[in-house]
Amino acid sequence: MWPPPFTTTAGTVRCGTEDKKSIRILSGDIVYAESPEKLTVLEQHYLIVRHGLVETICSVVPEEYKGIEVEEYGRNLIIPAFSDLHVHASQYAQRGVGMDLLLSDWLNQYTFPQEAKFADPDYAKQNYDAFVEDLIRHGTFHVNAFATIHRQAADYLFGRLEEKGLYAYVGKVNMDCHSPSYLIETTNKSLKETEKFLDEHQQAAGHVRSIIVPRFAPTCSEALLKGLGKLAARYQVGVHTHLVESKWEAAEALRLFPGYHSDAEIYERNGLMDNGPSVFAHVIFPTDEDIRILKKHRSIAVHCPDATANIIAGIMPLASMADSGIRIAAGSDIAGGHGIAVYRQIARAVQLSKLKELYEPEVGRTITLARAFYHATKEGGSLFGKVGSFEEGYHFNALVIRNMEDPWRRLSPGEQLERFCYTGDDRDILARYLDGEKIECP
Ligand code: GUN
Ligand code: FE
């Protein structure tokens, strides 16, 4: 298996007095998901963090930690921060617009003109600053983002995420055919600029990494994909793209790549799935061959429920894909999706799974909130290493969510989490912790 890139430098340290400054203790109702089967709920427990990593969770603070002040959150929830595994940072200013179109028209009428604006560095800065702020505001601390074809703007996004301490993958987009003249590069330029991008960020010091982003098969030539495959091998990086996202896209991919038998094979045969993580957005109409290839490479399929309803008109067969062992994450897919909040995607994933079961019972099955939460926290987080859970050794990247009960009606912590996913917003996030440090809401 490809090793997770974000290893910790913190070792096991004894609890001497000089070391107590590196310890933090929070109390509250703790909720996380170790597996898709159920939530772990620890009411009125203490969560102990050392050097930014979860050390233990206990019902009574052990003697060795006595004297350390407890950050008391009472009956508020402490949950892991969210992971968004498919988002177009450049489409932030376009969210909630053009939602009555389907993919191809939406790309041509709204998205491509929007992305062309990133040739202007000032525009890019304004947009990317607002995007990163909104991620933090909504508790998304781990993100896998498309930029645009413009390398300098992609560099800025990379730097901004790093500056804020977020965990991220960023890719400069590649497209060299079937794209408007104002948003296209020659094959050669696309490869050269990608090489510069990978080179520039090879030694990145923070938690941001580069990834190769061919937009999708219909806008990439075989020569481009082959060249990107060589860069993937040279720089040991992975791939992030869209896969069998709509009936139109799935058919176009095979029409434009006649020697290939599935959309996934296009990336596999061109060497894009061997050198790092492979992350595929949507995966709504996978063939058996797509599934076989995704499994073989331990790829992640990203469920983006809002985008599915807005511009794609199809629903991922999540339950049957999970049954067949495919890793699944959640994505906002801004601006195919209209909102940046990953917690809302959790609710929407449950809603759509019911429609899938109703209309296609052979592949659809209603999923639980626990499963959807698991995909949006621990399973998606696995792209970045140990984030998205509160098991020992995980980075303490966490949110404190306001108690969601009505004063006259008690809810369990699990029910409160559910209510937050369906009805909550950023005002219900009382505190944010990143690598054990409390961070201000922008
Ligand atoms: N397929 C190709 N480009 C895009 C895009 O920008 N958004 C989505 N959702 N699908 C795409
Ligand atoms: Fe997308």
Side-chain angles (χ1 to χ4, degrees):
M1 193 188 100
W2 176 78
F6 305 118
T7 50
T8 174
T9 48
T12 309
V13 187
R14 289 195 189 293
C15 194
T17 23
E18 79 285 358
D19 194 44
K20 287 194 170 169
K21 280 203 196 79
S22 62
I23 299 175
R24 162 158 243 153
I25 306 180
L26 294 85
S27 71
D29 288 350
I30 297 162
V31 184
Y32 60 102
E34 280 181 54
S35 78
E37 314 314 330
K38 70 173 182 56
L39 296 174
T40 300
V41 177
L42 299 160
E43 284 186 66
Q44 297 303 286
H45 271 60
Y46 297 90
L47 197 156
I48 300 180
V49 177
R50 191 199 293 260
H51 291 301
L53 305 181
V54 176
E55 182 153 280
T56 188
I57 300 177
C58 42
S59 56
V60 177
V61 178
E63 199 55 40
E64 63 189 290
Y65 301 105
K66 286 277 149 66
I68 297 170
E69 199 181 329
V70 175
E71 293 166 65
E72 305 262 7
Y73 285 111
R75 294 200 54 246
N76 298 302
L77 306 181
I78 305 174
I79 66 169
F82 297 107
S83 298
D84 187 342
L85 261 66
H86 178 65
V87 58
H88 299 259
S90 53
Q91 295 170 19
Y92 178 72
Q94 188 196 331
R95 66 204 183 285
V97 175
M99 301 277 84
D100 47 2
L101 297 177
L102 285 179
L103 183 60
S104 176
D105 289 337
W106 173 81
L107 286 172
N108 285 306
Q109 291 180 37
Y110 287 94
T111 308
F112 291 156
Q114 160 67 17
E115 291 194 14
K117 296 181 199 298
F118 284 72
D120 172 359
D122 290 336
Y123 184 90
K125 176 178 178 330
Q126 209 177 348
N127 184 94
Y128 285 148
D129 285 354
F131 167 74
V132 173
E133 273 192 13
D134 219 19
L135 282 179
I136 297 171
R137 195 174 301 126
H138 288 274
T140 302
F141 295 170
H142 325 113
V143 62
N144 182 32
F146 266 55
T148 59
I149 61 170
H150 312 93
R151 179 176 52 81
Q152 277 153 329
D155 283 341
Y156 181 81
L157 175 63
F158 193 107
R160 187 67 176 169
L161 288 161
E162 200 166 56
E163 200 181 303
K164 294 290 180 186
L166 298 187
Y167 289 61
Y169 281 89
V170 174
K172 174 221 167 301
V173 174
N174 293 278
M175 44 209 285
D176 71 340
C177 58
H178 309 116
S179 307
S181 56
Y182 58 79
L183 190 70
I184 194 166
E185 291 173 312
T186 62
T187 310
N188 197 34
K189 180 158 188 222
S190 196
L191 290 172
K192 283 268 169 297
E193 290 291 289
T194 303
E195 186 173 0
K196 274 192 202 157
F197 182 75
L198 296 174
D199 214 43
E200 166 91 17
H201 300 294
Q202 212 177 359
Q203 307 296 342
H207 292 142
V208 187
R209 301 281 181 272
S210 44
I211 193 159
I212 291 181
V213 175
R215 179 169 214 116
F216 63 163
T219 58
C220 298
S221 68
E222 191 178 30
L224 176 61
L225 294 181
K226 217 175 239 102
L228 292 175
K230 287 195 181 126
L231 290 177
R234 181 153 3 121
Y235 289 92
Q236 289 293 294
V237 290
V239 67
H240 174 198
T241 188
H242 301 91
L243 196 82
V244 285
E245 60 174 318
S246 72
K247 289 201 164 156
W248 166 76
E249 185 272 332
E252 273 299 277
L254 292 187
R255 185 178 73 79
L256 295 165
F257 286 80
Y260 293 79
H261 306 95
S262 71
D263 206 352
E265 189 191 355
I266 296 171
Y267 303 98
E268 185 189 45
R269 255 173 59 193
N270 284 295
L272 281 154
M273 294 174 72
D274 301 328
N275 306 288
S278 43
V279 185
F280 294 110
H282 304 302
V283 199
I284 289 171
F285 300 100
T287 60
D288 290 349
E289 184 62 2
D290 288 312
I291 296 286
R292 187 190 65 74
I293 293 172
L294 264 53
K295 261 185 89 163
K296 177 173 159 202
H297 296 276
R298 298 205 74 247
S299 306
I300 302 182
V302 190
H303 187 29
C304 308
D306 272 346
T308 273
N310 291 334
I311 57 161
I312 284 173
I315 302 174
M316 176 196 259
L318 189 153
S320 70
M321 278 172 46
D323 286 348
S324 63
I326 304 236
R327 297 161 76 198
I328 291 170
S332 67
D333 193 23
I334 289 281
H338 52 275
I340 207 165
V342 170
Y343 45 89
R344 198 71 88 238
Q345 299 311 301
I346 295 173
R348 205 79 79 213
V350 175
Q351 292 177 310
L352 291 191
S353 71
K354 291 180 177 165
L355 293 177
K356 189 77 174 169
E357 180 170 4
L358 179 68
Y359 290 107
E360 294 173 74
E362 62 291 353
V363 284
R365 193 174 70 240
T366 301
I367 63 167
T368 60
L369 186 103
R371 171 178 279 284
F373 181 69
Y374 170 76
H375 295 316
T377 52
K378 184 175 172 183
E379 193 156 41
S382 67
L383 179 67
F384 308 92
K386 286 190 162 186
V387 304
S389 180
F390 291 151
E391 291 151 74
E392 186 186 338
Y394 271 67
H395 293 258
F396 187 61
N397 296 349
L399 310 173
V400 179
I401 307 297
R402 186 195 307 283
N403 180 294
M404 299 297 287
E405 293 166 320
D406 297 312
W408 63 93
R409 165 77 158 88
R410 198 151 176 148
L411 294 178
S412 70
E415 288 170 330
Q416 290 184 53
L417 174 67
E418 184 176 16
R419 178 171 283 177
F420 170 68
C421 291
Y422 278 79
T423 71
D425 61 37
D426 55 305
R427 292 166 299 181
D428 297 311
I429 305 179
L430 301 180
R432 296 159 179 80
Y433 291 85
L434 183 56
D435 284 317
E437 294 299 320
K438 195 167 179 184
I439 58 170
E440 288 309 313
C441 182

